[in-house]
């Protein structure tokens, strides 16, 4: 059985929790940082064999300095809660000092570096800045760029991925993406863990410095809706709208992200991962047992909707 320790952060998020479940099940020890030991996911992880929760914020330098000690591997997905660049740098420096053998960072592109008038999306640009720092300090590292989560789709009135329930029982997805331009998709809960675990198994000799487009399907909005319709057994239509409607309170900074998406993917129809990466071939070589959007819509979407207090499926 594996005896190595994997460090994860923000471990109640979909990416890190996916890895913690898979890696712990096959014998890896997972040291999983969470801000607080509250919520369904943190409680689930605390109950798993081989998982040790580390509670506290990533702004705590004492916590970060100890987080990687004695570990060999790390999967790091920073978030925009707090100063993401400062936290990302702090984690990388601590991992370097502790001698981490393979550091996998969940990054995203900064489209502004490619010119063409493309704006950089603020929440992605921060990750790209952290990625460059990780490279500069010489960590043996790999970078995964994640596609659009299947789990983003909801009938709740959240912006960009709302599958709005219509009066006739059908769903409508309204977004600025061109109806026929393909988008990369990923079931983060189901597929991040197995793919990242395979990267660890292959090791940095194969993957050091490499960027990987982690998406297992590439479908246009029209095709996404067709697959979703087959899954839920109801009509699902796509409506192109150059403006993203915001009906609920959103986190600070996310409005600017949405405005950038309107321009980058709506006006310019830029490739999602930039011009240098494409999906899904490399992801499929890592993990073939992915959960596609149709399966998600059929088997998971109704459960998540019910958990959110919705009852359209009854």
């Amino acid at each position: 059985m594996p005896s190595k320790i994997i460090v994860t952060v923000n471990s109640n998020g979909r990416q890190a929790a996916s890895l913690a479940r898979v890696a712990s099940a096959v014998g890896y020890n997972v040291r999983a940082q969470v801000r607080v030991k509250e919520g369904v996911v943190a409680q689930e992880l605390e109950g798993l064999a081989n998982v040790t929760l580390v509670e506290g914020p990533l702004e705590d330098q004492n916590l970060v300095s100890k987080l990687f000690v004695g570990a060999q591997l790390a999967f790091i997905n920073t978030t925009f809660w707090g100063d993401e660049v400062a936290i990302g740098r702090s984690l990388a420096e601590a991992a370097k000092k502790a001698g981490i053998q393979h550091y996998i960072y969940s990054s995203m592109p900064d489209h502004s570096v490619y010119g063409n008038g493309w704006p950089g999306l603020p929440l992605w640009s921060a990750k790209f800045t952290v990625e460059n720092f990780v490279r500069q300090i010489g960590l043996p590292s790999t970078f995964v760029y994640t596609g659009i989560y299947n789990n983003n789709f909801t009938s709740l009135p959240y912006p960009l991925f709302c599958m709005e329930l219509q009066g006739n029982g059908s769903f409508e997805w309204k977004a600025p993406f061109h109806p026929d331009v393909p988008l990369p998709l990923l079931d983060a809960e189901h597929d991040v863990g197995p793919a990242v675990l395979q990267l660890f198994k292959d090791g940095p000799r194969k993957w050091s410095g490499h960027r990987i487009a982690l998406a297992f399907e590439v479908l246009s909005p029209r095709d996404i809706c067709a697959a979703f319709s087959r899954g839920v057994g109801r009509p699902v239509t796509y409506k192109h709208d150059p403006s993203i409607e915001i009906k609920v309170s959103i986190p600070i900074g996310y409005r600017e992200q949405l405005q950038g998406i309107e321009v980058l993917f709506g006006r310019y129809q830029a490739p999602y991962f930039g011009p240098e990466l494409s999906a899904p071939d490399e992801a499929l070589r890592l993990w073939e047992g992915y959960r596609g959007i149709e399966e998600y819509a059929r088997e998971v979407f109704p459960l998540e909707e019910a958990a959110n207090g919705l009852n359209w499926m009854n």
Side-chain angles (χ1 to χ4, degrees):
M1 295 289 285
S3 58
K4 292 185 175 180
I5 298 173
I6 302 173
V7 172
T8 63
V9 301
N10 298 310
S11 302
N12 51 353
R14 295 188 189 274
Q15 293 189 39
S18 178
L19 176 63
R21 294 182 188 106
V22 172
S24 64
V26 295
Y28 287 85
N29 294 298
V30 179
R31 187 181 297 162
Q33 177 272 339
V34 294
R35 184 171 287 271
V36 292
K37 292 182 180 180
E38 296 177 359
V40 173
V41 176
Q43 292 171 12
E44 175 202 351
L45 295 181
E46 192 168 30
L48 294 179
N50 306 319
V51 174
T52 301
L53 292 192
V54 177
E55 184 178 26
L58 293 174
E59 292 87 352
D60 182 343
Q61 289 299 311
N62 185 54
L63 180 150
V64 170
S65 68
K66 298 175 181 178
L67 189 60
F68 300 95
V69 174
Q72 295 78 37
L73 310 170
F75 175 56
I76 304 300
N77 180 28
T78 53
T79 73
F80 60 91
W81 299 107
D83 186 335
E84 184 167 5
V85 173
I87 290 171
R89 288 174 172 170
S90 172
L91 288 167
E93 288 173 335
K96 172 79 171 179
K97 184 176 181 180
I100 289 294
Q101 298 166 10
H102 195 182
Y103 191 89
I104 299 179
Y105 180 69
S106 183
S107 188
M108 286 303 279
D110 180 353
H111 283 76
S112 69
V113 303
Y114 299 110
N116 303 316
W118 295 348
L121 300 180
L123 302 186
W124 292 9
S125 299
K127 287 182 172 291
F128 190 74
T129 299
V130 174
E131 174 186 334
N132 286 332
F133 181 78
V134 172
R135 292 179 182 276
Q136 289 166 9
I137 66 172
L139 265 174
S141 51
T142 306
F143 306 93
V144 293
Y145 285 39
T146 56
I148 295 168
Y149 292 5
N150 293 349
N151 321 71
N152 282 350
F153 289 102
T154 174
S155 69
L156 294 172
Y158 297 140
L160 193 57
F161 295 106
C162 175
M163 284 285 185
E164 187 174 2
L165 184 63
Q166 306 297 296
N168 62 2
S170 66
F171 290 99
E172 180 184 80
W173 176 31
K174 188 189 303 182
F177 305 113
H178 188 283
D180 299 311
V181 172
L183 299 168
L185 298 172
L186 167 70
D187 194 299
E189 287 188 351
H190 190 270
D191 299 320
V192 167
V196 170
L197 187 59
Q198 187 60 51
L199 291 173
F200 282 139
K201 289 179 178 179
D202 290 342
R205 291 187 64 181
K206 181 172 182 177
W207 295 111
S208 185
H210 203 80
R211 292 181 179 132
I212 297 165
L214 200 57
F216 295 88
E217 291 184 302
V218 181
L219 301 173
S220 71
R222 292 189 205 273
D223 290 336
I224 290 171
C225 287
F228 217 92
S229 178
R230 293 191 298 271
V232 296
R234 296 171 179 233
V236 180
T237 57
Y238 182 70
K239 182 178 181 180
H240 177 256
D241 188 334
S243 299
I244 299 171
E245 190 174 8
I246 300 175
K247 299 179 180 179
V248 297
S249 177
I250 57 177
I252 295 173
Y254 192 50
R255 184 179 299 272
E256 292 75 16
Q257 180 82 357
L258 295 174
Q259 291 169 343
I261 287 171
E262 291 174 348
V263 176
L264 183 64
F265 300 124
R267 183 189 306 170
Y268 287 107
Q269 298 172 29
Y272 194 83
F273 294 123
E276 298 175 348
L277 285 182
S278 60
D281 292 352
E282 203 154 50
L284 289 170
R285 285 196 288 271
L286 291 170
W287 168 241
E288 295 181 344
Y290 70 94
R291 181 161 62 198
I293 191 69
E294 181 178 341
E295 182 182 352
Y296 168 78
R298 182 176 62 250
E299 298 185 4
V300 182
F301 182 66
L303 299 177
E304 295 203 342
E305 292 280 278
N308 287 328
L310 302 166
N311 60 8
W312 56 262
M313 69 294 293
N314 295 333

